[in-house]
Amino acid sequence: MFRFIIRRLLQLVPTLFGLSILLFIWLHRLPGGPETALLGERGTPETRAQIRENLGLNEPLPIQYGRFVKRLVQLDLGTSISTKREVTTEFLQRFPGTVELTMTAMLIAIGVGIPLGYLAARRRGSFLDHASVGGSLLGTCVPIFFLAYVLKAIFAENLGWFPTIGRQDASIDATHITNFFVLDGLLTREWDAAADAIWHLILPGVALASIPLAIIVRITRASVLEVLGEDFVRTAEAKGLTERTVRRRHVLRNAMLPVATSIGLLTGLLLSGAVLTETVFAFSGIGAFIKDAISNLDYPVLMGFIMIIAVIFALVNLLVDISYSLIDPRVRVR
């Protein structure tokens, strides 16, 4: 297992190297450039030329790329053009919000999706089966931003059950240690702050969970149906094993491999930033910040955030691969 993890981490190096080249070329192809972000449209040609000279943008691209890679190796992601703060600081401040939102959405999707998909497969052709398939299809068709606006209008603005925006009420004097607001409330025993942070996560979490929930339901249902038709399941039933034993040891465990793959990919995608959901609920995460960075041509933020997200996505996939041998005993990492 240890050798497998080391090998996968080493395979990450050429992947990140290729991504850095593509990212570097893409950012330099964007119109305007950093000088436009710093000076705006009214900057004179002289000031623009001076900015490019100060930033080293007049040097050959290979030299600029080498300097970029050197800074990455040193974990120096530069300074944001818009906020004048270090990119690492901006990421550490906003990423916890995205993690909390992602975990909320995936808990909802997994907690509802796997049992619903299993029951739909066990009762194939029933009303529950048709309803789950139809609901999952609807979940993948409805745009997240539309669902977010509907949830916000009904449950936050009209009924007033949930807060409309933000991660925490401004009136709460909470102590933030890690920037994970729920965790901070629990660590400092500020129960009202933790409860308020959870309350702010519900509506955006439900909106963000719609597509992962639909995907998990459909994949779980299809996987369980496939496993139910296997010979070893019929053999276990013929031996007189209880339904609970067959379900837990033979059906669910063997059906979880494709589900685990989907959960890992979905988690990685959500951790890269939920732009629409964060925008609708004014949720301070990396998705909305990346959107603003694209609009403002904030090159250091785009480079730094995308590279960090790529590493996180690769690590999530590594955890999924490791989980295979824990879920299915037939899969062993050699």
Side-chain angles (χ1 to χ4, degrees), residues 24 51 125 142 173 243 247-248 266 275-276 296 307 325:
F24 183 81
I51 290 294
V142 176
D173 186 17
E243 181 181 356
R247 179 176 67 246
R248 180 168 55 87
L266 291 169
V275 177
L276 297 177
N296 299 328
M307 290 302 299
S325 61

Side-chain angles (χ1 to χ4, degrees), residues 51-102:
I51 290 294
R52 292 189 63 85
E53 181 67 27
N54 294 338
L55 296 178
L57 299 177
N58 293 328
E59 298 179 359
L61 287 180
I63 296 178
Q64 294 185 46
Y65 176 74
R67 187 168 58 245
F68 167 64
V69 172
K70 180 181 178 181
R71 292 172 60 183
L72 284 180
V73 173
Q74 296 174 347
L75 300 180
D76 179 12
L77 302 179
T79 303
S80 170
I81 295 175
S82 302
T83 64
K84 312 302 182 185
R85 301 174 62 190
E86 291 187 359
V87 174
T88 305
T89 303
E90 294 286 1
F91 185 85
L92 293 177
Q93 179 179 345
R94 300 171 188 276
F95 188 60
T98 298
V99 173
E100 288 184 336
L101 185 56
T102 297

Side-chain angles (χ1 to χ4, degrees), residues 6-17:
I6 296 299
R7 186 169 65 250
R8 288 299 304 271
L9 290 175
L10 292 177
Q11 292 173 356
L12 181 61
V13 174
T15 302
L16 294 178
F17 177 73

Side-chain angles (χ1 to χ4, degrees), residues 277-308:
T277 305
E278 292 178 6
T279 301
V280 171
F281 291 98
F283 200 87
S284 179
I286 63 173
F289 194 68
I290 290 177
K291 176 183 72 68
D292 294 336
I294 294 175
S295 302
N296 299 328
L297 298 177
D298 200 334
Y299 288 77
V301 169
L302 292 176
M303 286 185 175
F305 274 40
I306 292 176
M307 290 302 299
I308 294 175

Side-chain angles (χ1 to χ4, degrees), residues 1 4 18 21 62 67 81 111 113 121 129 217 235 257 260 263 269 334:
M1 178 67 73
F4 169 75
I21 294 177
R67 187 168 58 245
I81 295 175
D129 184 23
V217 168
T235 302
L257 277 179
I263 291 174
L269 289 174
R334 299 185 184 278

Side-chain angles (χ1 to χ4, degrees), residues 22-160:
L22 294 176
L23 178 61
F24 183 81
I25 295 174
W26 172 66
L27 291 176
H28 277 74
R29 291 291 183 179
L30 291 178
E35 65 273 18
T36 300
L38 288 170
L39 301 174
E41 297 295 336
R42 298 183 180 180
T44 64
E46 292 76 12
T47 55
R48 291 176 183 272
Q50 184 63 41
I51 290 294
R52 292 189 63 85
E53 181 67 27
N54 294 338
L55 296 178
L57 299 177
N58 293 328
E59 298 179 359
L61 287 180
I63 296 178
Q64 294 185 46
Y65 176 74
R67 187 168 58 245
F68 167 64
V69 172
K70 180 181 178 181
R71 292 172 60 183
L72 284 180
V73 173
Q74 296 174 347
L75 300 180
D76 179 12
L77 302 179
T79 303
S80 170
I81 295 175
S82 302
T83 64
K84 312 302 182 185
R85 301 174 62 190
E86 291 187 359
V87 174
T88 305
T89 303
E90 294 286 1
F91 185 85
L92 293 177
Q93 179 179 345
R94 300 171 188 276
F95 188 60
T98 298
V99 173
E100 288 184 336
L101 185 56
T102 297
M103 294 299 101
T104 302
M106 292 308 299
L107 284 175
I108 296 173
I110 295 172
V112 177
I114 292 180
L116 186 58
Y118 174 80
L119 293 176
R122 294 289 294 183
R123 294 166 174 78
R124 184 177 184 181
S126 65
F127 173 78
L128 176 62
D129 184 23
H130 294 305
S132 62
V133 173
S136 63
L137 180 61
L138 182 64
T140 55
C141 293
V142 176
I144 289 182
F145 75 90
F146 176 75
L147 178 60
Y149 274 119
V150 170
L151 293 174
K152 182 178 179 180
I154 295 176
F155 296 101
E157 296 176 354
N158 292 340
L159 297 177

